[in-house]
Amino acid sequence: MIWIFVLVAAVLASEAFLHLPLLPVIRRVAETARKSGRVLASKRISDHWKERALPRYSWIIGSGSVQFFGLLMLALAPVAVLGLVFPGGFGAWAAALMRPAVIAALCLVSIAYVWLRLRVIRG
């Protein structure tokens, strides 16, 4: 019975990851971090300008990190919701999710599902 829940959890979480805008958030944060590094390393930019630009870059990086965390929580919400209908309740579901075999199955099923799903869409 647990394996049916694991398969459903993997598919639901994978679909959520595919539909949420995770990559644009990651790209924006990474690009801003690169800009920030270039500004810091530049000898041609005055310290005064650095003091004005870096807080803005920090705000973008910080807010992007919080947004990314929120998107991850949304993507994993279907897995948590399955705990409400799991035999034994949420505590039993959480304990089951901590087993190494379940973690491996979740990862493998998710990777296989995403790979197949992307191949079918592009195919």
Side-chain angles (χ1 to χ4, degrees):
M1 180 65 144
I2 184 175
W3 297 110
I4 293 171
F5 278 87
V6 169
L7 290 174
V8 170
V11 168
L12 291 176
S14 297
E15 277 297 325
F17 275 110
L18 288 172
H19 285 70
L20 290 172
L22 291 167
L23 287 180
V25 172
I26 293 169
R27 284 187 187 117
R28 186 177 73 239
V29 168
E31 181 57 32
T32 304
R34 274 192 290 279
K35 285 181 188 178
S36 175
R38 284 193 302 262
V39 167
L40 278 173
S42 177
K43 304 263 190 228
R44 296 171 36 161
I45 299 173
S46 70
D47 287 344
H48 173 72
W49 194 88
K50 288 177 185 179
E51 289 173 0
R52 295 179 56 93
L54 291 176
R56 173 79 175 134
Y57 289 154
S58 297
W59 177 259
I60 293 170
I61 293 169
S63 63
S65 298
V66 170
Q67 184 181 10
F68 182 72
F69 177 75
L71 290 172
L72 282 178
M73 293 299 100
L74 279 174
L76 295 175
V79 177
V81 169
L82 282 174
L84 301 175
V85 295
F86 187 74
F90 190 79
W93 177 238
L97 288 175
M98 294 299 121
R99 293 186 4 215
V102 172
I103 294 171
L106 280 169
C107 292
L108 292 173
V109 169
S110 293
I111 291 169
Y113 179 81
V114 168
W115 183 78
L116 284 171
R117 174 94 162 38
L118 293 176
R119 295 280 271 166
V120 169
I121 288 175
R122 291 184 185 156

